[in-house]
């Protein structure tokens, strides 16, 4: 068994060899909490949640760090616009992100450090970089000298002579316009912390280099994030960490965007779809299916039609699970997933190929049910549950308990009312009034209910919208 991952730095899929046998260390760039999350933000967390689950299934002990950037130019700007403390905005949105992760079934990280809790580590890193000649102070700012680090731009494969480094306000005193800020001098009214170079606040890139060093040491296995972070964020992280003396990340793994009309889903573009609103319209397990089943490196073009397709596809899986449980009672997940599923997941987390195995197994299970082969149906469900569990999509998992009916409190009432109508349909069928029976069924279908005739009588489920 060898897991293989696409390494952005190498531009190819590589065999994964951990730094420590049996252990995996992962650092994921998490939320910048200037606003509530849209589904593009949560996709990244979900993709790496699946990665973590697969490593754990394969027997690895996983340390998973997902940071929170709670001080940033954007947060300060929001504070000014809203007339609210920067920390109140950050905390409110941090809670919104965690609610989104939890709603979609993401496992909590091993540690979730905040940037503002690690100023000491950032100062130590800057001090070391200045002593080594890789950084310098100017006008209360601290900059990284990009020409001092020979490996700069190896991740993004850019030419230094053509580089355009993003810069913020008040970044004065640079020796080279391509140098980037690790620490920004305090401006009136802005949050600041004391350092040997005066009061100020951290730059975005320094935060992650310092926190990765704090929680994972000088070397770790995997650094993850969206493809938009390759430059400048991850490139600058590497420069700081390696110039400081760390080996840093061995593999760089990046997920694709969720797009809308061909553009990256972004708060600044005004085309974001907030998680808090989406979970009111769609079942969270369906959202997880929609966001988690395309390959992590692919782009997802958002549309309601594609979400409805995901809802229908998952309903076929869920319907099979429910039918077997009704017939045979509780079925435990198999101890191992089918070999073809494992092969797909080992190959750069090939979830689309793995999902095809799930749907094939569901079809086999449905055929077994139709043939009244209870033993085969139970065996297929055990396999399906094992595979769905790896993807965080097992509808029988306690996390999703009570979620599948879109309103558990009303389920008993609805069931009673539907049963009355189904009794009328059964009476029509008994007297061979087929037009009346079909009319009742059609009316129920129009109301969003799917009626299936089974050997034990008719059963209803909520159909796709």
């Amino acid at each position: 068994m060898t897991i293989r991952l696409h390494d952005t730095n190498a531009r190819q899929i590589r065999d994964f060899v951990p730094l420590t046998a049996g252990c995996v260390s992962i650092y994921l760039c998490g939320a910048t909490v200037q606003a509530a999350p849209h589904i593009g933000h949560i996709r990244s967390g979900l993709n790496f949640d699946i990665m973590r689950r697969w490593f754990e299934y394969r027997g690895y002990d996983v340390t998973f760090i997902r940071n929170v950037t709670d001080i940033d130019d954007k947060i300060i700007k929001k504070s000014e616009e809203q007339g609210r403390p920067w920390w109140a905005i950050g905390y409110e949105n941090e809670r919104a992100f965690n609610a989104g992760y939890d709603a979609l079934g993401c496992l909590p990280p091993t540690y979730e450090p905040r940037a503002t809790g690690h100023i000491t580590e950032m100062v130590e890193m800057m001090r070391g970089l200045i002593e080594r000649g890789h950084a310098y102070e100017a006008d209360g700012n601290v900059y990284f000298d990009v020409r001092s680090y020979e490996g700069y731009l190896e991740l993004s494969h850019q030419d230094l002579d053509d580089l355009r480094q993003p810069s913020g306000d008040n970044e004065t005193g640079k020796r080279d316009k391509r140098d980037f800020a690790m620490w920004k001098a305090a401006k009136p009214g802005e949050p600041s912390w004391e350092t040997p170079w005066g009061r100020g606040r951290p730059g975005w890139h320094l935060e992650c280099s310092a926190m990765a060093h704090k929680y994972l040491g000088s070397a770790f296995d995997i650094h993850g994030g969206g493809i938009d972070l390759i430059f400048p964020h991850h490139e600058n992280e590497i420069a700081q960490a390696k110039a400081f003396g760390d080996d840093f990340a061995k593999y760089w793994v990046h997920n694709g965007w969720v797009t809308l009309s061909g553009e990256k889903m972004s708060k600044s573009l005004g085309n974001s779809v907030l998680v808090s609103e989406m979970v009111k319209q769609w079942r969270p397990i369906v959202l997880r299916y929609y966001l988690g089943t395309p390959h992590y490196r692919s782009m997802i073009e958002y549309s309601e039609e594609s979400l409805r397709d995901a809802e229908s596809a998952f309903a076929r899986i869920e319907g099979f699970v429910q039918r077997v449980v009704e017939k045979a009672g509780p079925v435990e997940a198999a101890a191992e997933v089918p070999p073809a599923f494992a092969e797909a997941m080992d190959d750069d987390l090939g979830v689309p190929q793995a999902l095809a195995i799930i749907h094939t197994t569901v079809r086999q299970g449905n055929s077994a049910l139709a043939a009244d082969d209870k033993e085969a149906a139970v065996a297929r469900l055990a396999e399906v549950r094992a595979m769905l569990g790896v993807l965080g999509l097992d509808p029988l998992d306690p996390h999703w308990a009570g979620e599948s009916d879109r309103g558990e409190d009303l389920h008993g009432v609805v069931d009673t009312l539907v049963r009355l109508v189904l009794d009328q349909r059964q009476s029509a069928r008994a007297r061979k009034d087929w037009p009346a029976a079909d009319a009742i069924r059609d009316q129920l279908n129009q109301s969003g209910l799917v009626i299936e005739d089974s050997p034990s009588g008719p059963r209803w489920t909520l159909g796709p919208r």
Side-chain angles (χ1 to χ4, degrees):
M1 176 275 295
T2 300
I3 295 176
R4 306 176 73 234
L5 295 172
H6 185 272
D7 181 3
T8 304
N9 192 45
R11 291 188 170 183
Q12 63 181 1
I13 295 176
R14 299 171 54 202
D15 289 352
F16 176 76
V17 180
L19 291 167
T20 303
C23 298
V24 181
S25 47
I26 304 172
Y27 185 94
L28 174 64
C29 283
T32 299
V33 288
Q34 85 271 18
H38 56 63
I39 58 174
H41 293 126
I42 298 299
R43 182 197 180 185
S44 181
L46 201 160
N47 287 153
F48 285 91
D49 180 66
I50 292 172
M51 174 191 283
R52 174 207 189 152
R53 288 170 182 264
W54 184 243
F55 273 120
E56 289 180 344
Y57 171 82
R58 281 304 200 189
Y60 287 93
D61 182 9
V62 180
T63 300
F64 181 62
I65 310 300
R66 186 182 67 212
N67 78 292
V68 176
T69 297
D70 60 342
I71 185 66
D72 174 82
D73 289 347
K74 296 173 183 176
I75 297 171
I76 293 171
K77 183 178 180 181
K78 289 287 184 181
S79 174
E80 294 171 351
E81 292 172 354
Q82 298 178 18
R84 299 173 59 207
W86 61 272
W87 44 264
I89 292 171
Y91 184 61
E92 174 184 278
N93 292 312
E94 180 184 338
R95 287 171 61 87
F97 268 88
N98 283 330
Y101 291 132
D102 183 62
L104 269 64
C106 294
L107 300 173
T110 309
Y111 304 109
E112 192 169 27
R114 295 189 185 104
T116 54
H118 297 80
I119 302 298
T120 299
E121 289 82 0
M122 296 179 207
V123 170
E124 288 302 311
M125 183 165 280
M126 286 188 288
R127 181 182 285 115
L129 288 168
I130 290 173
E131 290 173 353
R132 292 170 174 81
H134 293 292
Y136 58 93
E137 183 273 337
D139 301 333
N141 302 293
V142 179
Y143 298 108
F144 186 90
D145 179 355
V146 298
R147 289 190 175 276
S148 73
Y149 174 61
E150 187 176 349
Y152 191 58
L153 301 180
E154 286 184 354
L155 181 68
S156 58
H157 301 279
Q158 298 183 78
D159 189 323
L160 183 60
D161 291 334
D162 297 329
L163 182 67
R164 294 185 177 181
Q165 185 83 258
S167 294
D169 297 335
N170 280 7
E171 292 191 8
T172 60
K174 281 187 180 182
R175 297 174 185 170
D176 186 312
K177 63 182 180 181
R178 289 160 293 200
D179 294 345
F180 62 86
M182 294 191 296
W183 190 262
K184 301 186 178 187
K187 291 196 294 186
E190 287 189 353
S192 63
W193 289 261
E194 190 62 64
T195 75
W197 313 284
R199 294 193 67 84
R201 59 185 175 85
W204 178 28
H205 318 303
L206 179 64
E207 298 173 353
C208 285
S209 296
M211 287 188 283
H213 179 89
K214 167 78 172 181
Y215 291 93
L216 297 176
S218 61
F220 57 96
D221 292 305
I222 299 168
H223 196 310
I227 58 171
D228 52 318
L229 301 182
I230 294 173
F231 182 85
H233 186 47
H234 289 166
E235 194 73 76
N236 292 349
E237 276 190 64
I238 293 171
Q240 294 165 153
K242 291 200 169 184
F244 183 68
D246 288 355
D247 289 332
F248 212 49
K250 188 175 180 182
Y251 298 84
W252 286 86
V253 180
H254 291 92
N255 64 275
W257 294 333
V258 178
T259 61
L260 188 60
S261 301
E263 293 186 274
K264 173 196 170 189
M265 191 167 284
S266 166
K267 300 186 189 83
S268 61
L269 292 176
N271 62 5
S272 59
V273 184
L274 295 181
V275 176
S276 58
E277 294 303 313
M278 292 293 288
V279 295
K280 296 175 184 176
Q281 302 172 49
W282 303 89
R283 292 171 54 201
I285 198 169
V286 170
L287 283 176
R288 183 177 178 101
Y289 184 96
Y290 171 68
L291 293 171
T293 53
H295 194 272
Y296 75 89
R297 288 192 284 122
S298 67
M299 299 296 182
I300 299 176
E301 174 66 14
Y302 170 79
S303 71
E304 286 206 5
E305 182 181 0
S306 58
L307 254 169
R308 284 193 293 271
D309 290 342
E311 184 178 47
S312 297
F314 186 72
R316 291 193 291 272
I317 297 172
E318 194 171 35
F320 165 67
V321 173
Q322 292 170 345
R323 283 190 291 273
V324 177
V325 170
E326 287 176 1
K327 188 177 185 67
V331 176
E332 293 297 319
E336 296 183 0
V337 299
F341 180 94
E343 183 179 352
M345 292 298 290
D346 281 341
D347 188 12
D348 195 31
L349 303 177
V351 174
Q353 294 78 13
L355 188 65
I357 306 301
I358 293 175
H359 281 287
T360 296
T361 308
V362 167
R363 287 193 292 271
Q364 293 169 347
N366 281 329
S367 296
L369 284 172
D372 202 25
D373 187 344
K374 178 179 173 181
E375 183 178 351
V378 167
R380 298 294 80 74
L381 176 55
E383 293 172 345
V384 167
R385 286 203 66 192
M387 294 185 283
L388 291 175
V390 166
L391 302 180
L393 286 169
D394 181 1
L396 300 181
D397 186 279
H399 178 83
W400 305 112
E403 183 266 350
S404 62
D405 295 311
R406 298 188 204 139
E408 184 70 15
D409 292 343
L410 293 175
H411 183 270
V413 175
V414 174
D415 183 64
T416 299
L417 294 174
V418 173
R419 292 292 168 192
L420 290 173
V421 179
L422 290 177
D423 287 345
Q424 295 175 12
R425 178 171 174 266
Q426 287 295 93
S427 297
R429 287 165 61 90
R431 63 178 184 267
K432 298 185 178 181
D433 187 352
W434 308 118
D438 290 344
I440 292 172
R441 179 172 183 146
D442 290 344
Q443 288 177 331
L444 289 171
N445 285 340
Q446 289 173 10
S447 70
L449 299 174
V450 175
I451 307 303
E452 299 177 67
D453 293 309
S454 69
S456 59
R459 63 190 299 275
W460 67 271
T461 56
L462 285 171
R465 63 197 70 215

